[in-house]
């Protein structure tokens, strides 16, 4: 089927795009054969290179990852990539900026309409995705990243990847559609063979911290799928970025053991949950964010409607592949969320396990607060 361009006057491009208007007019009634496609690409490439002003700006800075007007990357720590350098990422929308002596990475995002749930606020999956995106861009823009998905150069040479073993998130306030959030992330050593990554999320308007998160990561060989010690060469790459700081005070981190559920202790069991192709990530296993949706499959609908999910701890125990079929299990108990017994919350224990052999995949614990 051929494609006809009828009217380009309503499209929105950068101001300098219209310098090519006379060329655009030549294409208005032109069917897109191969030569026309090449000409069109040349026109748009010329316009993009000559003009860079975006309509996605708030308070003088671009959102969804790009900072301008005093928010460009500043200098190097190790081999921190300068914004606009020849070695910077292919897509400028991956860029945030380094702050606080270039060890903390900061990136801004707007909450899109497809990232909110029925209550018109960002979902827990959205929050987890933004945390993950910021972490990956931190590595990509640090100067130690490679073509691997979040891996350093030395890791890629050894076919190693990072895998998360535990993550704990505390929500103070959920963002709504159109809100702009600012995410800071940093890393530190966690024992001899682990790395801790922390995040804080601020409301860009009020500057209030609305979310805190901490996580632990280890290294896995992508071919053998076995955990590995962190090579000294990799430690040398990431050590300059270590900062001894906690997003959540140690005493407030949910570090208690998460009990294993079984057929007798689980109040609700949802079966037949199968990963889809779109659930897989670039490291050839189910994306860690996808488990949140499966966990919520065994949470009663009245809880989802009447309570806010205020805290979530995930403990990843094994990989999940495309061929696996899963079960989601939940048990609940009431807890006091304030000095008044009238304001009772819920604590839920969850388990995602293989349906075939009952092998554990993810243990989780969640805290819920009644909606006002």
């Amino acid at each position: 089927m051929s494609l006809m361009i009828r009217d380009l006057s309503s499209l929105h491009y950068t101001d300098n795009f219209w310098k090519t208007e006379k060329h655009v007019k030549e294409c208005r009634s032109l069917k897109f054969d191969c030569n026309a496609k090449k000409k069109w690409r040349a026109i748009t490439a010329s316009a993009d290179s000559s003009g860079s002003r975006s309509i996605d700006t708030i308070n003088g800075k671009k959102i969804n990852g790009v900072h301008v007007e005093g928010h460009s990357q500043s200098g190097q720590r190790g081999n921190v990539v300068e914004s606009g350098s020849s070695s910077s990422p292919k897509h400028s929308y991956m860029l945030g900026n380094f702050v606080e002596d270039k060890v903390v990475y900061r990136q801004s995002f707007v909450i899109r309409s497809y990232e909110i749930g029925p209550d018109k606020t960002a979902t827990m999956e959205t929050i987890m995705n933004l945390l993950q995106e910021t972490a990956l861009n931190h590595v990509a823009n640090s100067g130690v990243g490679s073509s691997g998905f979040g891996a350093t150069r030395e890791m890629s040479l050894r076919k190693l990847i990072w895998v998360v073993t535990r993550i704990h998130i505390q929500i103070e306030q959920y963002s709504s559609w159109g809100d702009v959030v600012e995410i800071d992330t940093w890393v530190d050593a966690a024992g001899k063979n682990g790395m801790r990554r922390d995040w804080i999320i601020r409301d860009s308007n009020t500057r209030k911290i609305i979310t805190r998160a901490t996580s632990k990561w280890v290294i896995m060989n992508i071919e053998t799928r076995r955990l590995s010690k962190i090579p000294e060469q990799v430690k040398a790459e990431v050590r300059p970025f270590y900062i001894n700081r906690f997003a959540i005070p140690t005493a407030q981190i949910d570090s208690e053991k998460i009990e294993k559920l079984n057929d007798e202790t689980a109040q609700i069991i949802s079966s037949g949950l199968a990963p889809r192709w779109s659930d897989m990530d670039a490291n050839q296993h189910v994306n860690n964010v996808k488990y949140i949706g499966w966990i919520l499959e065994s949470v009663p609908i009245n809880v989802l409607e009447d309570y806010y999910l205020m805290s979530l701890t995930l403990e990843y125990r094994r990989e999940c592949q495309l061929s696996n079929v899963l079960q989601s299990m939940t048990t609940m108990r009431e807890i006091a969320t304030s000095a008044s017994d009238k304001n009772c919350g819920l604590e839920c224990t969850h388990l995602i396990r293989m349906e075939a052999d009952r092998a554990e995949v993810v243990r989780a614990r969640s805290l819920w607060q009644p909606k006002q």
Side-chain angles (χ1 to χ4, degrees):
M1 179 182 294
S2 62
L3 176 66
M4 187 82 72
I5 298 179
R6 295 179 177 178
D7 185 9
L8 297 177
S9 61
S10 61
L11 298 181
H12 297 282
Y13 296 93
T14 56
D15 294 340
N16 288 337
F17 184 91
W18 300 110
K19 293 181 180 179
T20 62
E21 184 177 6
K22 65 178 181 180
H23 299 294
V24 174
K25 289 179 179 179
E26 296 174 8
C27 297
R28 281 185 171 171
S29 60
L30 179 65
K31 291 185 177 180
F32 264 32
D33 57 17
C34 293
N35 291 331
K37 287 182 179 178
K38 292 180 181 178
K39 185 174 182 180
W40 179 256
R41 290 188 187 118
I43 291 171
T44 55
S46 173
D48 288 341
S49 64
S50 61
S52 60
R53 187 168 62 88
S54 170
I55 61 172
D56 287 335
T57 60
I58 292 181
N59 295 331
K61 65 179 181 180
K62 294 184 182 179
I63 52 181
N64 277 30
V66 181
H67 290 244
V68 294
E69 297 185 14
H71 293 271
S72 61
Q73 294 193 33
S74 53
Q76 301 186 28
R77 184 180 184 89
N79 293 310
V80 175
V81 177
E82 292 284 355
S83 177
S85 70
S86 59
S87 58
S88 61
K90 295 179 181 179
H91 305 291
S92 63
Y93 288 99
M94 291 172 61
L95 295 177
N97 60 295
F98 286 86
V99 297
E100 299 189 39
D101 198 27
K102 306 158 196 169
V103 293
V104 175
Y105 186 75
R106 179 171 294 168
Q107 190 162 1
S108 295
F109 300 89
V110 65
I111 304 301
R112 305 294 192 182
S113 60
Y114 50 80
E115 295 173 325
I116 62 175
D119 59 358
K120 301 180 182 179
T121 61
T123 64
M124 181 62 80
E125 291 97 322
T126 292
I127 294 170
M128 282 277 286
N129 277 322
L130 295 182
L131 297 182
Q132 182 170 270
E133 179 71 8
T134 309
L136 290 171
N137 290 342
H138 182 193
V139 178
N141 291 292
S142 66
V144 301
S146 70
S147 57
F149 197 63
T152 68
R153 294 190 187 94
E154 293 291 340
M155 289 173 63
S156 293
L157 290 174
R158 293 164 175 78
K159 302 184 184 302
L160 301 174
I161 60 173
W162 290 111
V163 291
V164 61
T165 59
R166 189 179 178 100
I167 184 167
H168 174 58
I169 304 175
Q170 294 179 357
I171 309 292
E172 295 289 336
Q173 174 186 325
Y174 280 92
S175 300
S176 301
W177 174 34
D179 287 349
V180 178
V181 295
E182 183 179 86
I183 305 179
D184 285 2
T185 187
W186 61 90
V187 294
D188 196 10
K192 293 183 179 180
N193 280 294
M195 184 177 76
R196 193 189 79 241
R197 177 177 286 279
D198 286 13
W199 299 266
I200 59 172
I201 303 181
R202 294 185 186 89
D203 181 283
S204 185
N205 185 38
T206 66
R207 308 303 300 164
K208 176 186 176 182
I209 295 178
I210 58 175
T211 300
R212 300 175 186 269
T214 186
S215 60
K216 183 178 179 181
W217 301 72
V218 294
I219 279 182
M220 185 179 76
N221 186 292
I222 198 169
E223 292 186 341
T224 66
R225 316 306 288 188
R226 293 181 180 273
L227 299 184
S228 168
K229 292 183 178 180
I230 302 180
E232 288 300 322
Q233 294 89 340
V234 176
K235 289 182 179 180
E237 287 180 308
V238 298
R239 191 178 293 117
F241 296 91
Y242 285 169
I243 175 174
N244 185 23
R245 179 187 299 178
F246 295 88
I248 304 173
T250 305
Q252 297 179 19
I253 295 176
D254 180 8
S255 57
E256 294 183 8
K257 179 181 178 181
I258 301 176
E259 296 297 327
K260 177 183 178 180
L261 295 181
N262 54 43
D263 293 322
E264 288 71 39
T265 57
Q267 297 171 344
I268 304 169
I269 301 177
S270 180
S271 302
L273 305 174
R276 302 167 299 175
W277 177 253
S278 60
D279 296 330
M280 308 300 289
D281 68 16
N283 286 327
Q284 304 171 27
H285 56 206
V286 170
N287 188 306
N288 64 78
V289 177
K290 299 297 181 178
Y291 294 104
I292 298 175
W294 290 327
I295 286 171
L296 298 181
E297 285 289 328
S298 56
V299 175
I301 188 64
N302 66 297
V303 174
L304 301 178
E305 290 176 341
D306 300 335
Y307 290 79
Y308 284 118
L309 176 54
M310 305 308 297
S311 173
L312 179 65
T313 304
L314 297 164
E315 188 179 280
Y316 299 91
R317 306 184 74 84
R318 71 175 59 219
E319 287 187 286
C320 181
Q321 306 294 337
L322 189 62
S323 59
N324 298 134
V325 179
L326 306 171
Q327 288 183 322
S328 174
M329 311 169 71
T330 291
T331 188
M332 301 177 294
R333 69 182 184 92
E334 287 190 343
I335 59 172
T337 57
S338 69
S340 173
D341 291 337
K342 295 180 180 180
N343 189 16
C344 289
L346 295 174
E347 180 184 89
C348 299
T349 302
H350 312 275
L351 176 67
I352 301 294
R353 71 181 185 184
M354 302 290 186
E355 191 166 276
D357 61 2
R358 303 298 194 261
E360 292 182 87
V361 179
V362 176
R363 291 187 190 186
R365 178 165 42 240
S366 60
L367 299 180
W368 302 74
Q369 178 178 309
K371 295 179 179 178
Q372 300 300 324

